[in-house]
C-alpha cells in the first residue's frame, strides 16, 4: 500500500519539475498524471467500457488538465469556454448511469448543470487566488479539501474513491512542498486549477454511486469556493479568512458524512 500513497506525489512532483525546465503549461497535467498513477496501482489501468464512474474519472481529469495546459499561463476567454465545456462533458459522462436509472429528467439536468458550474468555478477561483497569494496557497487548498474528502468517501463505503482522493491530496502536497522550496509559482497555480474540479466530481460520485450523504457531498464539493471569502478588493488574499471558511465547511461535510454513515452489515466483513 506504500506505492499508491507515494506514487502520486512522485509523479506530480516530477511533472512540475519538468514543467519548470521546459514549459510551465505542462504542469496542468501534473495532478491528473498523479491520479492516474494511483488508479493504476490500486485498480489497474482504467477501462472505457465499464459504466463505473471510477473508471472514467482519470480520463475526465486528463481532459481537464489538457485544456488547462493548452490554455497556458495567461487566461483567455477561449480557454475558459473550453474548460467549462470539458467540465460539463465530464459531469455528463460521470453521472450518465445515475441519470438514466435513478433520477428524473429535471433533477438530472439540475445535477449536471450544478456539477459543471461548481467544477468550473473552483478552477477559476483558485486561479484568481493564486494571483493574489503565495505560490503554495492554491495547491494547499486542494490538498486540504482532498484530505477532508477522502475519509468522508470511506465513511460512505467507497474505499476506492477515498484512496483516490488521498492520491489527489498527495499530488497537491508535493506541489506545496516544491513551491516552498523553489520558484514554481506558475506551475503550482496551473496544477491547482486543473486538480480543483476533481473535488466536486469525486464528491458527486460518492453521493450517487456509494452511500455518502448528499449534504455532506455538497459541503465538501463547495468548500474550495468558500476560500473566496479571503479575497479583498485591491488587496492580497487573506489567508486567515479564506482557509478558515473553507476548513469550516469541510469539517461540516465530514460531520454530516459521519452522521449519515450507513449501519454496518455482515456483507462488510
Amino acid at each position: 500500500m506504500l506505492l499508491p500513497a507515494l506514487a502520486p506525489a512522485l509523479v506530480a512532483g516530477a511533472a512540475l519539475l519538468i514543467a519548470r525546465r521546459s514549459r510551465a503549461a505542462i504542469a496542468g497535467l501534473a495532478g491528473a498524471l498523479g491520479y492516474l498513477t494511483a488508479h493504476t496501482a490500486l485498480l489497474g489501468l482504467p477501462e472505457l467500457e465499464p459504466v463505473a464512474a471510477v473508471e472514467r474519472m482519470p480520463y475526465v481529469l486528463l481532459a481537464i488538465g489538457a485544456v488547462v495546459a493548452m490554455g497556458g499561463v495567461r487566461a483567455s476567454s477561449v480557454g475558459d469556454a473550453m474548460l467549462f465545456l470539458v467540465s460539463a462533458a465530464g459531469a455528463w459522462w460521470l453521472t450518465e448511469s445515475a441519470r438514466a436509472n435513478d433520477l428524473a429528467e429535471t433533477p438530472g439536468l439540475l445535477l449536471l448543470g450544478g456539477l459543471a458550474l461548481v467544477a468550473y468555478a473552483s478552477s477559476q477561483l483558485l486561479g484568481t487566488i493564486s494571483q493574489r497569494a503565495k505560490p503554495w496557497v492554491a495547491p494547499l487548498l486542494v490538498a486540504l479539501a482532498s484530505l477532508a474528502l477522502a475519509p468522508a468517501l470511506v465513511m460512505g463505503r467507497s474505499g476506492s474513491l477515498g484512496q483516490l482522493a488521498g492520491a489527489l491530496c498527495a499530488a497537491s502536497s508535493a506541489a506545496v512542498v516544491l513551491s516552498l522550496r523553489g520558484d514554481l509559482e506558475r506551475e503550482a497555480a496551473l496544477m491547482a486549477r486543473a486538480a480543483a474540479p476533481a473535488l466536486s466530481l469525486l464528491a458527486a460520485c460518492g453521493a450517487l454511486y456509494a452511500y455518502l450523504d448528499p449534504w455532506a457531498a455538497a459541503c465538501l464539493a463547495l468548500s474550495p469556493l468558500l476560500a473566496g471569502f479571503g479575497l479583498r478588493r485591491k488587496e492580497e488574499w487573506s489567508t486567515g479568512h479564506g482557509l478558515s471558511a473553507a476548513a469550516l465547511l469541510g469539517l461540516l461535510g465530514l460531520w454530516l458524512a459521519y452522521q449519515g454513515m450507513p449501519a454496518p452489515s455482515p456483507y462488510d466483513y
Side-chain angles (χ1 to χ4, degrees), residues 30-251:
L33 291 175
Y35 185 96
L36 176 62
T37 303
H39 187 285
T40 303
L42 291 167
L43 305 172
L45 287 173
E47 302 178 8
L48 284 172
E49 291 184 3
V51 183
V54 68
E55 295 291 333
R56 297 180 172 185
M57 181 69 72
Y59 295 107
V60 173
L61 297 187
L62 284 172
I64 292 174
V67 168
V68 173
M70 287 188 294
V73 178
R74 294 184 179 180
S76 65
S77 56
V78 175
D80 292 344
M82 288 181 61
L83 179 61
F84 178 76
L85 289 176
V86 172
S87 298
W92 174 85
W93 202 33
L94 291 174
T95 61
E96 181 180 8
S97 178
R99 287 182 291 106
N101 299 325
D102 301 323
L103 300 175
E105 184 176 349
T106 301
L109 292 176
L110 290 175
L111 168 69
L112 181 61
L115 188 56
L117 284 174
V118 172
Y120 172 77
S122 299
S123 177
Q124 294 296 85
L125 178 63
L126 287 185
T128 301
I129 290 175
S130 64
Q131 296 174 2
R132 302 190 183 187
K134 300 293 184 182
W136 49 266
V137 168
L140 177 63
L141 285 169
V142 178
L144 291 177
S146 305
L147 186 63
L149 180 60
L153 289 169
V154 172
M155 285 187 282
R157 288 187 185 171
S158 181
S160 58
L161 286 176
Q163 288 176 305
L164 292 172
L168 189 66
C169 177
S172 301
S173 300
V176 174
V177 173
L178 290 175
S179 298
L180 290 170
R181 297 179 62 87
D183 184 16
L184 284 168
E185 182 175 356
R186 296 174 300 172
E187 291 81 1
L190 286 171
M191 179 186 171
R193 280 197 62 198
L199 300 168
S200 55
L201 298 176
L202 283 170
C205 288
L208 292 173
Y209 303 112
Y211 296 93
L212 179 63
D213 182 82
W215 289 108
C219 289
L220 293 164
L222 293 173
S223 62
L225 293 179
L226 260 69
F229 279 102
L231 294 174
R232 297 291 184 270
R233 288 186 178 181
K234 298 181 180 180
E235 295 181 9
E236 293 186 354
W237 183 74
S238 173
T239 305
H241 288 84
L243 284 179
S244 298
L248 285 175
L249 190 59
L251 290 174

